[in-house]
Amino acid sequence: MNERVDILKTEILSSNWYTLKKVTFNYQTKNGKWVIQDREAYDRGNGSTILLYNKQNRTVILTRQFRLPTFINGNPSGMLIESCAGLLDKDNAEDCIRRETEEETGYKVWSVKKIFEAYMSPGSVTEVLFFFIAEYSKDMKVNEGGGVEGHEDIEVMELDFDTAYRQIESGEIKDGKTIMLLQYAKLNSLFH
């Protein structure tokens, strides 16, 4: 535990979808002075994300779906191109990403490799995201994907890697986790 932090009070501001907390705490600054601060933290649990790639065809599997927060913050269509991802719920990170991969993309993957984990918005969101990669092939396709029926409306996209990578610069791909995975693929020469 951090001896420079003393939680004084935690209030639940909302628990409609996930949990929004207001935390009041004492924090000792680097000069030794204690200050009382208030922060809000949104707890939606931890998640996993994956980049499916086919080395031979030089392709990746991504998804496109409507994301309300992007819509209300200037994305005219609200549609976002993303890597497959999902919340852990009660699963471990590997089981979660295998389940989400099949639900969202229709591919059943067995061999996944964890490459790193990251806090994606640590100023306000508690979530740790676990990043994976896995090779895919056409014979691993077991259904159409698209998400859980009645709950998700996900388009599955198979893109040439170079095209997907250029879409970062063009602004067609604006999702942070997807950018990180595509950059990992480039930096680590997954297609060479």
Side-chain angles (χ1 to χ4, degrees):
M1 295 296 291
N2 188 339
E3 295 175 1
R4 295 174 52 196
V5 179
D6 181 26
I7 304 290
L8 302 174
K9 180 170 65 168
T10 301
E11 301 171 67
I12 305 294
L13 300 180
S14 174
S15 60
N16 291 334
W17 190 253
Y18 299 111
T19 305
L20 178 61
K21 298 176 183 178
K22 179 181 178 185
V23 180
T24 304
F25 60 99
N26 242 342
Y27 178 77
Q28 187 180 32
T29 63
K30 59 186 171 190
N31 67 9
K33 181 181 176 188
W34 286 90
V35 293
I36 294 178
Q37 298 185 359
D38 290 313
R39 295 288 185 275
E40 291 180 5
Y42 194 53
D43 185 353
R44 51 180 304 242
N46 296 327
S48 288
T49 187
I50 193 166
L51 181 66
L52 297 178
Y53 68 99
N54 183 300
K55 192 178 280 193
Q56 181 180 352
N57 295 334
R58 295 187 51 81
T59 54
V60 294
I61 299 292
L62 297 175
T63 64
R64 182 179 6 229
Q65 62 183 307
F66 178 77
R67 295 297 197 183
L68 178 66
T70 74
F71 181 73
I72 61 176
N73 193 27
N75 177 356
S77 70
M79 301 301 284
L80 205 62
I81 298 172
E82 305 177 52
S83 55
C84 170
L87 294 177
L88 300 189
D89 298 323
K90 303 251 187 267
D91 286 338
N92 65 51
E94 280 192 26
D95 290 342
C96 166
I97 204 55
R98 284 189 191 98
R99 179 191 73 240
E100 290 293 332
T101 299
E102 189 172 336
E103 287 176 5
E104 290 189 4
T105 71
Y107 287 91
K108 189 171 200 73
V109 293
W110 297 105
S111 180
V112 298
K113 177 183 175 187
K114 181 183 169 195
I115 53 174
F116 54 82
E117 57 190 70
Y119 290 98
M120 296 302 291
S121 189
S124 59
V125 180
T126 62
E127 179 182 31
V128 172
L129 195 59
F130 299 90
F131 288 75
F132 292 88
I133 57 172
E135 290 194 59
Y136 78 94
S137 60
K138 292 290 182 200
D139 63 335
M140 298 166 81
K141 186 86 167 166
V142 295
N143 64 58
E144 292 305 307
V148 178
E149 195 170 325
H151 176 68
E152 297 174 303
D153 183 25
I154 299 170
E155 176 188 350
V156 181
M157 306 171 68
E158 184 174 41
L159 296 173
D160 171 78
F161 174 74
D162 294 321
T163 299
Y165 198 79
R166 283 192 304 273
Q167 288 181 341
I168 298 170
E169 189 174 343
S170 73
E172 292 169 82
I173 293 180
K174 292 184 177 183
D175 174 61
K177 67 185 179 299
T178 307
I179 293 169
M180 291 166 73
L181 284 166
L182 291 171
Q183 288 180 336
Y184 175 90
K186 183 123 177 134
L187 290 169
N188 290 276
S189 304
L190 292 186
F191 293 98
H192 293 117

